[in-house]
Amino acid sequence: MAVFLARRLVQAVLILLGVAAITFLLLYYLPADPAVLIAGRSATPQMVAAIRHELGLDQPLIMQFLHYVGSLLHGDLGRSYTQKTEVLPLILARLPATLVLMAAGIVVEVALGLTFGIIAAVWRGGFVDRSIMMLSFVGVSSPQFVVALLLLYVFAATLGWFPMSGFGTARHVVLPALTLGVLGAGWYARMVRSAMIEVLRQDYVRTAHAKGLSGRRVVLSHALPNALLPIIAMVGIDIGQFMSGVVVVEAVYGWPGIGQLAWQAIQQVDVPIIMGVTLVSALAIVLGNLLADFIAPFVDPRIRSQ
Amino acid sequence: MNKFAKRMGLAALLATSALVPAKLAFADTPTNGGDIIVTYKDDIATLDPAVGYDWQNWSMINALFSRLVDYKPGTTELGPALADSYDVSDDGKIYTFKLHPGVKFTNGREVTAADVKWSIERAVNPKTQGPGAGFFHSIVGADKMTAGTADTMEGITAVDDHTVKFTLSQPDATFLNVLALNFASVVPKEAVEAANGDFGKHPVGSGAFTLKEWTIGQRLVFQKNADYFVKDRPHVDSFTVEVGQEPLVALLRLQKGEVDIAGDGIPPAKYLEMKKSAEFEGMIVDRQQLETSYVTLNTQVKPFDNAKVRQAVNMAINKDRIVRIINGRATPASQVLPPLMPGYDQNYKGYAYDPEKAKALLAEAGLKDGFSTQIYTSNTDPQPRITQAIQQDLAAIGVKAEIKAVANPNVIAAGGTQGQAPMVWSGGLGWIADFPDPSDFYGPILGCGSAVAGGWNWSWYCNKDIDARGQAADAMPVPAKAEERNKAWAQIFTDIQTNEAPWIPVFNERRVVAKSKRMGGPDEIYIDPTRVIDYEAIYVNK
């Protein structure tokens, strides 16, 4: 186990370095010149050159990159071009909101997905199954923007059950989490359904039924644990995805997450912020997958013995 | 709430029974107090007056700091501010200002002449990385400072604690306007140093408000400065800026009374609906600003190096149709200067829409069968749609224009690269004046000095004679020869357009802001020509 973890950690560091290098290179070759954007419209070429020098953009690419990685090892993500402030505090300030939404979104989508997936599998082929599959299809193909605005209009603007915008209380998180959850639940429902159908066909399930166990007990205690593995892997992926920011949902609900920061930085070619957010997202994806790998053996003894 | 509704009903009744003066008196008396909420989609980048240069933070910085001179609310008229009086030498090169005594920064220290000198030097210093450095070019020593070879500017001297003197290398009629820009705001050195490179998040000034709270990504709370040196200002006790607010949601919240000013205005798709709805009556402020949206024609790229071709495409564009595409939120433009700008020529008609004449002119230029070219545009709505309309108009005279819709920074990069972009649609990046003076529409976008790599003269237009005429106009002393100077500039702009047509001026876009019914005051303080929103002058109706 220790060897496995150590190997994954080394892999993680290499992945992060690779992500840093690729992002840096891509941003370097963008046609936009950050110094021109900072210097403004009244600047002379001399002023642009002076700012380029201040930012270290007049150095060769490899020096710029080494300098960046050097600072990174000291936990320094650099200073934002447009905000003229440290990048790390900007990201950290938005991290709580991102974490809350990530967790709440995953709870909703897994809860909905499991419930409907199991129901569909148990009554497969029937009207309920077909309705659920139909709904899940609508869910996965609905645009976030539409669903977010719809929920906001009905439950916040019209009914007034929830605040329209902001962050801070439990009531604020309901609609954003519901939007993510409803849209993501379709994937989970479909996956749970097919995994469960697979498992329900197994001999040991038939044995359990034959022993006279209640249907509920067979499904929940005997079949379900074996169908959970793909769900855990998927949660691992979702952690990474939600941590890298859910721009649309954040925008509609005024949610102060990382996505909005990234989106604005991209529009302004604020390279240090783009780099910082990319690295944090990459880290989250790596950690999410690591977590899934780590949990899997506890859920499925077959992996442990391998 | 009930009482308020009744009052509004009464006001409406008074208005309908022709008692207009009574209603005006009611609306014109600012009342003090109240806490208001303003929303924006984007985060506030910085509140450092030497750095902030976007239309969200501009008005907030303006309210946090004060300057030697400032505009009267809602106008383009300059008046005293930190300076009680000033004196200009006969040759127009020396400006001496007397500071208002006893003005204090919100950290309690008195504002001195040395602070004025230090603040402007800071704005010019390349280490600050500010976008305003170029405006101060006429002060002696600015060139050495921007080149990084000097740490102070000899052209600014603190004669005594309350007297500051500026020496210019050449007369500059726009100098007072420059001193009213946010970049010339006076900041306390000790606070800048204490902030350790983070002054933009911890601003200290001597303006109408102080920053009380900033929760990143959520809200900024600005509180009234009780010691503000301007009498009876500001009116509101505080304003809270909530960021990250989607414009459509902001409007919903405005309807419910949760928001007082939706700073991003009304999305184009909702504009007509809201404008026609009785529910929103009195909540929409829709005003002209100092803006022109245009297409640059690159005078260094074939076939636009031929003035006849540039004139021909000027005649090909149906500007009325383009204005309809954005729901009438603009007025077709005939010339470079916007109508509110001094020097705008009301009698100048520019190039009328005439595809037949355009085709004839193209034939004269030897391009009977048209030609192929490219037009760059910002990729955010409605800019690509507007560019498509331009593309169709050009196709009608045989010009095939390929649309290059890219992100804003890439449009700027393409425009500023020699020989790259034959045409650029400026929409979304348009030229909004920094100050109400016609020279601001020449030097940085049409002058020879800006026809350089990384510059904003995307026509790459450079006419040495016109440059000389511009310099002569700016050497005229103001206000003594203001009228003559405006005439000179008017002639410069119409000459450029008539003879060489480096632009297609397309329209002058209006700004739209939505506000709650309880907000008082005239429209021009919600869309102030120099401040965007004038937080000092707005008030809540009681």
Side-chain angles (χ1 to χ4, degrees):
Chain A
M1 195 68 202
V3 179
F4 167 77
L5 269 182
R7 207 168 56 209
R8 292 304 301 253
L9 276 176
V10 173
Q11 272 177 3
V13 171
L14 287 178
I15 289 173
L16 287 180
L17 266 179
V19 168
I22 292 171
T23 319
F24 205 86
L25 207 66
L26 284 176
L27 290 172
Y28 183 82
Y29 282 108
L30 270 184
D33 180 350
V36 168
L37 296 175
I38 292 166
R41 303 183 287 205
S42 64
T44 60
Q46 290 78 8
M47 292 176 203
V48 175
I51 286 177
R52 200 172 284 131
H53 178 73
E54 284 295 323
L55 297 175
L57 296 174
D58 52 350
Q59 289 176 15
L61 173 63
I62 183 73
M63 290 309 293
Q64 288 184 39
F65 184 65
L66 288 178
H67 184 79
Y68 184 82
V69 172
S71 311
L72 205 58
L73 294 177
H74 293 96
D76 178 5
L77 286 175
R79 285 175 71 82
S80 153
Y81 291 167
T82 53
Q83 306 200 25
K84 303 280 191 286
T85 184
E86 297 284 328
V87 169
L88 192 59
L90 288 180
I91 294 178
L92 290 180
R94 288 170 175 270
L95 213 51
T98 303
L99 281 169
V100 166
L101 184 55
M102 184 263 291
I106 287 178
V107 166
V108 174
E109 65 182 6
V110 170
L112 288 177
L114 272 181
T115 314
F116 287 107
I118 292 169
I119 292 173
V122 171
W123 288 284
R124 65 179 168 277
F127 173 74
V128 176
D129 178 23
R130 262 179 284 154
S131 310
I132 289 175
M133 283 306 101
M134 177 80 157
L135 275 177
S136 77
F137 191 68
V138 171
V140 298
S141 44
S142 298
Q144 268 190 4
F145 191 70
V146 173
V147 174
L149 272 181
L150 203 70
L151 289 179
L152 180 124
Y153 187 77
V154 174
F155 294 106
T158 309
L159 296 172
W161 294 354
F162 302 103
M164 279 198 265
S165 166
F167 168 70
T169 71
R171 271 156 47 96
H172 281 103
V173 78
V174 174
L175 290 182
L178 213 56
T179 309
L180 283 183
V182 166
L183 293 177
W187 296 112
Y188 284 88
R190 294 183 152 246
M191 212 148 78
V192 169
R193 177 180 178 272
S194 54
M196 281 297 282
I197 289 175
E198 186 76 15
V199 174
L200 288 174
R201 284 207 194 102
Q202 304 276 329
D203 289 340
Y204 80 94
V205 174
R206 199 171 306 136
T207 313
H209 277 298
K211 276 198 303 188
L213 291 176
S214 73
R216 190 160 152 208
R217 205 151 158 219
V218 172
V219 170
L220 294 184
S221 326
H222 290 241
L224 184 60
N226 283 321
L228 273 183
L229 213 52
I231 305 298
I232 289 166
M234 185 119 154
V235 168
I237 294 170
D238 271 356
I239 289 177
Q241 231 177 31
F242 290 176
M243 279 301 290
S244 52
V246 274
V247 180
V248 174
V249 172
E250 285 178 16
V252 171
Y253 294 105
W255 192 263
I258 281 175
Q260 295 217 53
L261 180 70
W263 176 238
Q264 286 166 29
I266 289 167
Q267 287 176 318
Q268 297 160 336
V269 205
D270 198 328
V271 175
I273 295 186
I274 302 176
M275 288 293 298
V277 174
T278 310
L279 284 177
V280 169
S281 313
L283 185 69
I285 291 173
V286 168
L287 285 180
N289 282 313
L290 204 60
L291 198 70
D293 287 344
F294 187 70
I295 290 175
F298 293 98
V299 179
D300 192 336
R302 283 171 298 187
I303 296 178
R304 235 176 309 170
S305 61
Q306 269 171 19
Chain B
M1 190 65 211
N2 253 337
K3 212 168 148 191
F4 175 63
K6 232 184 253 170
R7 170 96 39 97
M8 289 311 292
L10 188 66
L13 195 74
L14 285 174
T16 48
S17 45
L19 282 168
V20 180
K23 192 211 169 199
L24 276 180
F26 159 80
D28 277 350
T29 320
T31 48
N32 289 328
D35 305 281
I36 65 163
I37 306 227
V38 184
T39 61
Y40 282 105
K41 178 162 98 25
D42 285 345
D43 216 340
I44 302 307
T46 174
L47 291 173
D48 186 335
V51 177
Y53 195 25
D54 57 56
W55 58 268
Q56 290 98 335
N57 65 22
W58 190 260
S59 42
M60 296 168 209
I61 292 172
N62 200 279
L64 283 175
F65 297 91
S66 34
R67 294 145 290 277
L68 288 175
V69 288
D70 222 329
Y71 299 97
K72 292 179 182 156
T75 72
T76 55
E77 197 183 326
L78 278 167
L82 271 181
D84 274 338
S85 63
Y86 68 92
D87 182 64
V88 191
S89 67
D90 288 342
D91 64 357
K93 286 190 182 174
I94 297 174
Y95 285 70
T96 313
F97 294 86
K98 282 279 177 207
L99 296 194
H100 188 83
V103 178
K104 289 196 167 135
F105 289 118
T106 48
N107 67 7
R109 186 171 69 71
E110 189 172 346
V111 179
T112 66
D115 291 314
V116 177
K117 174 175 165 66
W118 190 82
S119 302
I120 292 177
E121 286 174 349
R122 175 173 178 269
V124 179
N125 195 327
K127 287 199 171 63
T128 311
Q129 298 171 22
F135 292 112
F136 300 95
H137 65 91
S138 53
I139 302 175
V140 171
D143 47 348
K144 281 188 201 145
M145 184 75 133
T146 50
T149 55
D151 279 332
T152 59
M153 281 154 66
E154 48 193 290
I156 315 177
T157 36
V159 180
D160 57 45
D161 270 3
H162 294 105
T163 313
V164 61
K165 191 174 85 178
F166 293 86
T167 313
L168 309 186
S169 48
Q170 72 220 33
D172 179 359
T174 66
F175 191 60
L176 285 179
N177 285 297
V178 170
L179 290 182
L181 287 172
N182 278 354
F183 303 116
S185 295
V186 183
V187 298
K189 184 180 179 185
E190 67 275 13
V192 174
E193 284 170 354
N196 195 17
D198 221 6
F199 189 64
K201 295 266 186 293
H202 302 96
V204 177
S206 56
F209 290 87
T210 59
L211 179 69
K212 190 180 153 209
E213 180 204 325
W214 187 340
T215 309
I216 302 276
Q218 297 181 50
R219 83 186 72 81
L220 297 85
V221 181
F222 295 82
Q223 199 167 38
K224 176 179 184 162
N225 173 9
D227 297 324
Y228 189 42
F229 68 96
V230 179
K231 266 205 170 328
D232 305 324
R233 292 278 173 77
H235 301 303
V236 296
D237 289 337
S238 79
F239 66 94
T240 298
V241 175
E242 295 189 359
V243 296
Q245 301 285 315
E246 162 64 32
L248 277 174
V249 179
L251 292 176
L252 276 174
R253 295 184 62 200
L254 188 83
Q255 254 173 300
K256 298 203 83 178
E258 289 180 19
V259 165
D260 292 300
I261 300 176
D264 292 308
I266 304 170
K270 286 277 280 184
Y271 176 71
L272 279 185
E273 176 196 331
M274 282 184 61
K275 193 110 202 199
K276 283 178 189 155
S277 138
E279 196 191 343
F280 285 98
E281 211 187 318
M283 297 172 74
I284 301 173
V285 182
D286 183 341
R287 265 178 72 80
Q288 285 209 20
Q289 50 184 355
L290 294 169
E291 192 269 355
T292 304
S293 296
Y294 51 90
V295 176
T296 55
L297 306 170
N298 194 327
T299 56
Q300 296 188 358
V301 170
K302 275 190 184 312
F304 291 118
D305 54 346
N306 184 341
K308 283 203 173 115
V309 178
R310 300 197 296 267
Q311 288 163 337
V313 293
N314 255 289
M315 294 172 191
I317 306 303
N318 184 347
K319 296 169 189 174
D320 292 316
R321 186 169 74 118
I322 293 175
V323 165
R324 279 201 298 277
I325 289 177
I326 56 167
N327 292 330
R329 279 166 68 147
T331 320
S334 62
Q335 53 195 295
V336 172
L337 294 181
L340 291 182
M341 183 67 96
Y344 175 81
D345 186 345
Q346 287 191 340
N347 301 316
Y348 184 73
K349 293 282 170 268
Y351 297 93
Y353 173 56
D354 190 344
E356 286 314 311
K357 214 166 150 192
K359 270 194 231 167
L361 211 53
L362 271 191
E364 248 180 77
L367 291 163
K368 198 163 64 66
D369 302 324
F371 59 93
S372 293
T373 186
Q374 290 176 332
I375 180 163
Y376 280 75
T377 173
S378 158
N379 60 6
T380 41
D381 189 70
Q383 314 311 338
R385 284 190 289 134
I386 294 173
T387 319
Q388 278 166 14
I390 295 171
Q391 182 187 41
Q392 288 160 11
D393 286 343
L394 290 175
I397 63 161
V399 176
K400 269 174 65 183
E402 178 199 352
I403 294 177
K404 295 269 203 184
V406 292
N408 288 2
N410 300 344
V411 180
I412 294 167
T417 304
Q418 187 160 25
Q420 185 173 345
M423 306 172 90
V424 181
W425 163 240
S426 80
L429 321 144
W431 192 259
I432 299 177
D434 300 291
F435 47 76
D437 189 276
S439 67
D440 193 37
F441 267 75
Y442 180 76
I445 33 178
L446 286 164
C448 290
S450 55
V452 291
W456 288 69
N457 182 345
W458 301 335
S459 297
W460 293 81
Y461 172 76
C462 173
N463 181 331
K464 294 257 164 28
D465 292 340
I466 298 272
D467 250 26
R469 281 168 63 187
Q471 270 170 21
D474 277 354
M476 293 180 191
V478 165
K481 290 195 173 176
E483 195 67 13
E484 194 182 328
R485 180 169 171 272
N486 286 344
K487 272 205 187 110
W489 272 115
Q491 196 61 46
I492 288 173
F493 283 108
T494 49
D495 282 353
I496 292 175
Q497 197 54 15
T498 304
N499 301 330
E500 307 188 82
W503 279 19
I504 309 172
V506 178
F507 56 63
N508 304 110
E509 194 173 6
R510 292 196 306 274
R511 232 184 108 61
V512 180
V513 161
K515 65 179 176 83
S516 67
K517 286 187 171 140
R518 70 173 186 143
M519 295 308 298
D523 283 358
E524 56 265 33
I525 57 177
Y526 292 89
I527 299 179
D528 184 294
T530 66
R531 292 186 182 86
V532 190
I533 296 173
D534 192 340
Y535 289 112
E536 231 183 285
I538 59 175
Y539 57 89
V540 177
N541 281 325
K542 280 276 148 61

